[in-house]
Amino acid sequence: MLKYLNSDIVFQEVPDEVALAINLTGCPCHCPGCHSQYLWNDVGQPLTETALDDLIARYRNNITCVALMGGDAIPDEVNNLMQHLRSKHRELHTAWYSGRSLLSPAANLKNFDYIKLGPYLAHLGSLRSHRTNQRLYRIKNGKMHDITSRFWEK
């Protein structure tokens, strides 16, 4: 079962979106240098469809996107929640920040507008670094388009 510890309105994780970022716990990736090690533990409240709907209702007029941050231990549940979001909240975009290098086969691209892949590697930096191993993809017509360069200063 997916659990979340907290959520926040964010402006930098998904370009051109005001996102409700929901921090999922139980992260199995344990990236060295992780800035959110508190999310490694299996703590928090279950993120059910009802809980997701309640969070969205709370911020409905302030967001354009819902971003699930983590969930790599149970990618099929991430996919199911995004499918629910797509069917019930069609006006909102969907994003998933995964720490895995490869997209889980459980992720159906039709349920996502954005997917971030890649573990955090301190020596390569975050999405803001030209050297980063992490990639943010915009999903259009069932294809993943790398938009990571949107984070880089020109």
Side-chain angles (χ1 to χ4, degrees):
M1 166 183 302
L2 284 176
K3 293 181 183 176
Y4 75 103
L5 191 60
N6 54 26
S7 63
D8 203 358
I9 303 294
V10 296
F11 303 96
Q12 297 182 26
E13 278 70 9
V14 183
D16 305 321
E17 302 284 355
V18 177
L20 171 62
I22 303 171
N23 288 317
L24 303 176
T25 62
C27 181
C29 298
H30 297 202
C31 302
C34 174
H35 61 76
S36 302
Q37 291 184 14
Y38 65 96
L39 297 175
W40 294 3
N41 300 318
D42 183 19
V43 296
Q45 301 298 315
L47 185 60
T48 62
E49 291 179 0
T50 301
L52 180 62
D53 291 342
D54 290 347
L55 285 167
I56 290 170
R58 189 176 313 155
Y59 300 106
R60 161 72 71 220
N61 296 324
N62 300 311
I63 61 173
T64 61
C65 181
V66 174
L68 297 184
M69 312 302 276
D72 291 300
I74 317 173
D76 56 324
E77 288 191 24
V78 169
N79 185 71
N80 292 343
L81 281 175
M82 291 307 201
Q83 183 178 17
H84 167 76
L85 201 149
R86 274 269 196 260
S87 67
K88 188 164 183 187
H89 306 281
R90 292 185 179 137
E91 73 284 2
L92 294 174
H93 292 134
T94 60
W96 181 24
Y97 262 56
S98 169
R100 300 288 191 198
S101 295
L102 299 174
L103 183 62
S104 168
N108 185 334
L109 290 181
K110 73 179 182 179
N111 295 323
F112 299 90
D113 292 298
Y114 303 92
I115 296 176
K116 192 279 301 177
L117 292 174
Y120 174 72
L121 300 175
H123 68 285
L124 296 177
S126 69
L127 286 170
R128 293 194 176 282
S129 169
H130 290 262
R131 297 180 43 206
T132 188
N133 62 298
Q134 298 179 318
R135 291 288 177 260
L136 182 68
Y137 297 95
R138 174 77 164 116
I139 314 303
K140 282 201 168 202
N141 301 319
K143 296 191 190 265
M144 297 172 66
H145 303 275
D146 190 337
I147 62 167
T148 309
S149 63
R150 297 275 315 270
F151 289 95
W152 303 338
E153 290 185 25
K154 307 292 184 221

